[in-house]
Amino acid sequence: MKKLAANLAILALVLPSGAQVCPPGSPDDTAAIQSAVDLSPTVQFEARYYCVDARRGVRIPSERMLNLNGATVGILPGCTVNCKAFETVPGSAGVKLRGPGTIVGDLTPAPGFSIGFRGDSVSGLEIVDVTFRSWRYDGIWLGGNLGTHDAEIRNVTVEDFGRNGLSIVNGSGFTVDRFAGRRSTPATLLGAAVDVEGNPGDQVLDVTITNSLAEDVVIGFYMHAGHGRQGYGWKITNSVVRNFARYGVIFNSSAHGFILDNRLYAPTPNSPAVAVNEGALRALRHLQAYDKAAAFVPVGISVGATGAITANDVTLAGNRVEGTPRSAILAGVVHPRVFGNAWVSGSLATVAPSATIPATDGVQLYVP
């Protein structure tokens, strides 16, 4: 077993709490980490701050376990295009990233993507007990030309993200358990704690989100065919969405889907929480960033179609929506099953049973 950075321990870089990038002149640990990852199946970090060059990132081949052991990995300043801290070698398998540990990015506006962990066509991926903070695009991105398959994301937190906490764009067999996505940054590109959305020609199958939290976001869980093909086997269960500016759950164009036993709390101008809840005020500021007059009324759960791709065989049961008169909307759904839900402040609206969605306010589903 190779002990990572035994020759770097004397550097002991300490950054102030909340720092987004390593200070100019910080030592570059990229080569040392990459060497350890290339040479050893198990890499043990030390409980200190490491700095990597996000223009290169650390590329992880097959059958590697990275144990952060309390480490924080930050990025050196200056990366503006295609930035990442870690990414898998395309086609790799058996990659594991384990905490506790924190991976910190940079929210400085720039044209290119910036991602904490990029899973490119990897199978058998595990990310457990890790916090991602201040990534301009996504904390975690999973996809690739071959798709990412059999991935487990457990007890992971993504905070202060610019696009999504977790993006899944191609592949199958995703388990997201005890995930927390907090504080999308206004005005964000999308602002979802979890975004399941196929790239052109791609498909996402068998996604389970359970025991998870979305808080102070534009959208809680965004599950959508996007530019890809119809999804299958998507599930959101026993999860909470709190202080969402536009939608708690969007669930479009999936066959055999389940939205079960979730709790959604929307801030609205009529919500008593607004006066005392900073998170609710943050969500309302998101609304102001998107709609100048903050006139959009949040929707708890929206199930529907993406163009001609309908949602088929979807079950909504045991959910509770509070704080908005637009508790749930069905538009472009075939064979829905809806029972045992509590629409506390509003009601269920069935807009259209087919794939045709009129482009009128309150009917058209949000497509960024």
Side-chain angles (χ1 to χ4, degrees):
M1 178 183 297
K2 186 175 181 65
K3 187 74 171 179
L4 173 65
N7 61 331
L8 300 178
I10 58 172
L11 298 175
L13 179 65
V14 177
L15 295 190
S17 175
Q20 293 185 358
V21 293
C22 297
S26 299
D28 184 349
D29 296 318
T30 312
I33 298 173
Q34 187 66 65
S35 177
V37 169
D38 290 340
L39 294 174
S40 177
T42 301
V43 177
Q44 302 284 356
F45 285 69
E46 296 178 346
R48 68 172 184 88
Y49 208 109
Y50 295 83
C51 294
V52 300
D53 183 349
R55 291 169 295 186
R56 292 181 290 161
V58 175
R59 290 171 56 84
I60 309 172
S62 292
E63 305 302 331
R64 292 297 190 272
M65 179 184 294
L66 280 64
N67 288 323
L68 293 177
N69 294 324
T72 297
V73 179
I75 62 174
L76 295 163
C79 185
T80 58
V81 179
N82 301 343
C83 311
K84 64 276 178 184
F86 295 94
E87 66 176 346
T88 60
V89 173
S92 58
V95 172
K96 298 177 175 60
L97 177 65
R98 294 183 177 173
T102 304
I103 300 174
V104 184
D106 181 9
L107 289 173
T108 303
F113 72 72
S114 178
I115 295 169
F117 186 100
R118 189 172 185 271
D120 186 343
S121 303
V122 57
S123 60
L125 171 69
E126 294 181 18
I127 303 178
V128 181
D129 297 330
V130 180
T131 295
F132 295 83
R133 184 175 297 126
S134 300
W135 287 95
R136 188 171 67 247
Y137 263 47
D138 307 329
I140 302 171
W141 181 95
L142 304 177
N145 292 336
L146 302 178
T148 289
H149 303 278
D150 300 321
E152 296 188 12
I153 310 298
R154 297 187 184 276
N155 200 32
V156 168
T157 296
V158 183
E159 300 174 331
D160 304 311
F161 51 87
R163 184 172 68 171
N164 302 306
L166 165 63
S167 287
I168 301 173
V169 302
N170 190 22
S172 64
F174 300 91
T175 299
V176 181
D177 180 43
R178 290 167 290 148
F179 177 89
R182 297 189 178 97
R183 298 188 300 275
S184 55
T185 57
T188 184
L189 297 173
L190 179 57
V194 178
D195 174 23
V196 178
E197 183 178 4
N199 278 340
D202 292 340
Q203 189 174 33
V204 182
L205 307 173
D206 299 322
V207 180
T208 297
I209 301 170
T210 186
N211 303 315
S212 293
L213 170 68
E215 187 171 45
D216 301 338
V217 293
V218 177
I219 301 171
F221 301 110
Y222 185 80
M223 307 183 76
H224 194 291
H227 298 288
R229 295 177 286 163
Q230 185 180 49
Y232 182 89
W234 296 348
K235 305 178 184 68
I236 306 174
T237 66
N238 294 302
S239 294
V240 173
V241 184
R242 185 179 295 116
N243 300 326
F244 56 93
R246 295 190 71 96
Y247 291 87
V249 171
I250 288 184
F251 202 91
N252 282 9
S253 307
S254 173
H256 194 57
F258 296 88
I259 306 172
L260 306 176
D261 301 320
N262 303 289
R263 303 292 180 266
L264 298 89
Y265 307 97
T268 69
N270 297 322
S271 171
V274 171
V276 296
N277 188 323
E278 174 59 30
L281 293 174
R282 177 189 292 270
L284 288 176
R285 286 195 290 270
H286 275 301
L287 285 181
Q288 292 169 352
Y290 273 94
D291 303 282
K292 297 298 185 183
F296 185 89
V297 178
V299 177
I301 301 173
S302 181
V303 182
T306 304
I309 307 175
T310 56
N312 303 341
D313 184 25
V314 177
T315 300
L316 288 81
N319 302 287
R320 182 180 180 91
V321 179
E322 298 185 27
T324 175
R326 304 176 74 192
S327 291
I329 294 177
L330 303 184
V333 186
V334 178
H335 302 307
R337 290 179 299 279
V338 182
F339 58 91
N341 301 285
W343 314 130
V344 176
S345 306
S347 61
L348 168 69
T350 302
V351 177
S354 70
T356 302
I357 307 174
T360 57
D361 185 38
V363 176
Q364 176 68 52
L365 298 183
Y366 173 57
V367 179

